[in-house]
Amino acid sequence: MLSETALKNMGIRGLCDDSRKASPGDLFFALPGAQAEEFARIALSKGAVAVVGETEAPQDLASKWIRVSSVKEERASTAKTFFKDPFSKLSAHAVTGTNGKTTSAFLMDAMLSGEGRKTALLGTICKRIGDRVVASNLTTPGILELYAFAAEAVNAGCSDLVMEVSSHSLHQGRIQGIHYQSALFSNLTEDHLDYHKTMENYFQAKKLLFTHYLSEDGVAVINIDDAYGMRLFDEVDVAQKVSVSRLGNAKAVIVPQSVQSGEDGMILQVPAISEKPFQTGLVGEFNADNVLLVMSWAKSIGISENSIRQALNTVKVPGRFEMTFNDGSRRVFVDYAHTPDALERVLRVARTLCRGKLSVVFGCGGDRDRNKRHIMGEIAERDADFVWVTSDNPRTEKPEDIIAEIIGGMHSDHFKVIVSREEAIRAACKAMQAGDVLIVAGKGHENYQIIGKTKQHFDDHEIILREMC
């Protein structure tokens, strides 16, 4: 392991594991692979001081090559040293699951802030330290970026870090060396099988958060209404486990006495937390699950009832069942739903708010799990009155091919294909009549569309407002 003194003596000014981003003064980590040496040479040509690799040093690079048994292990330990062990100075809290991570993280952050703590937030929508916000590229960043972010948070005076933790980051060891004070599990439904291949592999990746990255005295808060959540609760051995159930599972510690949901939000009666009811502007069963999970977490780590209530009353999450247009009769919502479970939940909630026809605009991302496409088509056809099938982020696939797989699960004539997402949204908006509800699903907070390998500006909200206003 490289010591702080060794790093100083080498003149290391930064750490890098992506040759495209290498800068003068960097220590470059050549991750194992066929192109490791090629990437190392590129990094050195850009001014990197030395390379950490697992193979024997190429003869001409011997003076700049540090051979180790595991580059990933060395990368984690060096990051800890270089950034002065920032996670030892932060209370880190993680939430994982297929759906609900972003809403839960926003609620967690707001409840901690309500206690007067200065927080940092890392997730799908943004990276934020105090009041400074920048957009996120990944739900969970790479380990070097993560340590740099944590160090910046410490320097800014933050006491707590709230993170969404993805299954990819867990499987790839991107949170190596971190031990969380608390970890939440929302649910596990079909997604990312292009990467994990099976639901069992997907579950095992999520499980790592609770078996490898939770502090010895940490608390695990788990939704046991979810079948994988119930299994997780039974299988993990941690100091504190809190089981949560909206549906009244007998094994749950925290169960609501009642949940009343309407157009303007919810009222929850949760005796295990307070005798007085809680109110929130969030709507729908899926948000009831998120709210209960985070309330249970807050209770378990000693957050005050007042901070819980304040967060529930004020938090708004961009692109999560976000009402973009409402003229008192017609309403259009934008939602990030891009999995079968998420789409089903959103449409079911929308149905309860709809006095006319319920329509949905959606597509599926390219170069991602293909198996869910026909399932989402089936769900959309079943739960909406009319479906506008369109493009999402096609990436390197042909949009027409993706759409063909979606409509493979549809068997009625209550849908229309419009490949252009903008034209599909405009057509869906034009077709609305009094009492109708339209859901524009799949992209949520995103203000871009990825076509080929190019990211170009595209915002569902802008298209909706241009057409409706």
Side-chain angles (χ1 to χ4, degrees):
M1 183 176 74
L2 293 169
S3 66
E4 186 174 356
T5 300
L7 293 171
K8 285 182 179 178
N9 290 341
M10 293 167 64
I12 300 301
R13 301 199 301 270
L15 307 180
C16 179
D17 56 10
D18 184 341
S19 60
R20 295 167 297 182
K21 299 177 181 178
S23 300
D26 279 354
L27 176 63
F28 181 74
F29 295 88
L31 294 166
Q35 295 179 283
E37 182 182 328
E38 178 185 345
F39 293 149
R41 291 183 182 279
I42 292 171
L44 289 169
S45 72
K46 292 183 175 182
V49 173
V51 172
V52 177
E54 291 181 10
T55 60
E56 186 174 346
Q59 189 171 359
D60 61 326
L61 300 182
S63 64
K64 296 184 176 182
W65 196 276
I66 302 168
R67 190 176 183 184
V68 298
S69 59
S70 170
V71 170
K72 286 187 176 181
E73 293 284 346
E74 187 64 37
R75 181 180 60 175
S77 61
T78 303
K80 183 177 180 179
T81 300
F82 183 82
F83 292 109
K84 304 186 185 304
D85 196 9
F87 287 98
S88 68
K89 302 159 190 169
L90 288 167
S91 291
H93 312 277
V95 56
T96 197
T98 305
N99 301 308
K101 294 189 298 294
T102 299
T103 298
S104 296
F106 269 65
L107 285 168
M108 293 162 70
D109 179 78
M111 290 178 190
L112 288 165
S113 297
E115 294 288 274
R117 305 186 199 183
K118 187 171 183 179
T119 62
L121 175 68
L122 265 177
T124 306
I125 292 179
C126 68
K127 298 182 290 187
R128 183 181 55 71
I129 294 175
D131 296 326
R132 188 177 69 80
V133 182
V134 296
S136 286
N137 294 320
L138 293 171
T139 297
T140 311
I143 190 167
L144 298 180
E145 183 182 345
L146 179 54
Y147 268 86
F149 181 86
E152 186 179 352
V154 169
N155 292 336
C158 293
S159 60
D160 292 80
L161 168 64
V162 175
M163 284 181 60
E164 296 179 49
V165 177
S166 69
S167 58
H168 293 71
S169 69
L170 286 159
H171 182 258
Q172 295 165 8
R174 279 192 252 145
I175 58 170
Q176 199 169 357
I178 303 170
H179 295 287
Y180 294 93
Q181 278 64 55
S182 63
L184 289 70
F185 178 88
S186 59
N187 51 62
L188 195 74
T189 62
E190 184 165 324
D191 199 14
H192 305 308
L193 296 190
D194 55 309
Y195 180 86
H196 294 292
K197 307 305 179 187
T198 69
M199 287 298 292
E200 180 62 22
N201 291 343
Y202 188 19
F203 170 73
Q204 292 298 335
K206 294 289 190 184
K207 185 179 175 181
L208 289 172
L209 177 62
F210 301 86
T211 57
H212 286 63
Y213 300 109
L214 189 61
S215 298
E216 289 185 4
D217 59 349
V219 57
V221 186
I222 300 170
N223 169 26
I224 64 171
D225 285 337
D226 181 87
Y228 284 102
M230 187 73 257
R231 178 180 166 188
L232 180 69
F233 188 82
D234 288 339
E235 291 182 5
V236 299
D237 182 20
V238 297
Q240 301 179 65
K241 289 193 292 187
V242 178
S243 51
V244 184
S245 169
R246 174 175 57 84
L247 302 178
N249 190 308
K251 291 186 177 182
V253 173
I254 298 182
V255 178
Q257 188 177 76
S258 65
V259 178
Q260 300 172 10
S261 184
E263 293 186 14
D264 300 319
M266 289 182 286
I267 299 175
L268 303 94
Q269 191 79 45
V270 191
I273 299 177
S274 174
E275 291 302 316
K276 297 179 181 178
F278 293 89
Q279 288 186 297
T280 177
L282 299 171
V283 300
E285 289 182 353
F286 59 92
N287 272 323
D289 290 340
N290 297 331
V291 165
L292 283 167
L293 187 72
V294 177
M295 288 171 64
S296 303
W297 163 81
K299 176 73 173 178
S300 69
I301 68 167
I303 290 178
S304 68
E305 186 178 319
N306 183 60
S307 292
I308 296 173
R309 293 183 184 280
Q310 183 178 344
L312 293 178
N313 282 324
T314 58
V315 164
K316 294 182 179 179
V317 187
R320 299 320 191 260
F321 208 69
E322 182 180 0
M323 187 184 294
T324 301
F325 176 81
N326 179 12
D327 64 2
S329 176
R330 300 168 300 165
R331 283 174 290 180
V332 184
F333 295 86
V334 168
D335 193 89
Y336 191 52
H338 59 281
T339 67
D341 179 68
L343 185 64
E344 181 177 44
R345 286 174 175 238
V346 164
L347 290 175
R348 286 184 177 180
V349 171
R351 176 65 71 189
T352 67
L353 308 179
C354 185
R355 295 184 296 275
K357 185 169 71 174
L358 173 62
S359 299
V360 60
V361 176
F362 89 102
C364 289
D367 303 332
R368 298 293 186 269
D369 184 6
R370 292 176 58 185
N371 187 58
K372 69 182 180 182
R373 295 172 183 173
H374 73 278
I375 300 172
M376 292 180 69
E378 181 181 345
I379 289 169
E381 180 183 58
R382 182 194 69 206
D383 292 343
D385 297 311
F386 197 82
V387 183
W388 303 83
V389 186
T390 189
S391 184
D392 191 282
N393 291 319
R395 299 183 177 88
T396 63
E397 287 192 68
K398 291 182 179 179
E400 294 85 355
D401 292 343
I402 299 171
I403 289 169
E405 293 189 350
I406 293 172
I407 63 177
M410 304 171 75
H411 307 288
S412 74
D413 59 356
H414 303 308
F415 71 90
K416 184 172 183 178
V417 171
I418 301 180
V419 176
S420 163
R421 189 174 181 90
E422 178 173 354
E423 291 304 316
I425 294 171
R426 289 178 59 194
C429 288
K430 285 180 180 177
M432 292 186 76
Q433 298 181 0
D436 288 356
V437 169
L438 172 64
I439 304 295
V440 180
K443 293 178 60 59
H445 63 283
E446 294 177 354
N447 62 358
Y448 59 83
Q449 189 172 29
I450 305 173
I451 299 175
K453 295 185 178 180
T454 303
K455 183 183 286 189
Q456 57 191 43
H457 179 78
F458 189 96
D459 192 323
D460 288 349
H461 303 79
E462 292 176 3
I463 309 302
I464 293 163
L465 291 174
R466 273 206 303 268
E467 190 60 44
M468 300 297 286
C469 296

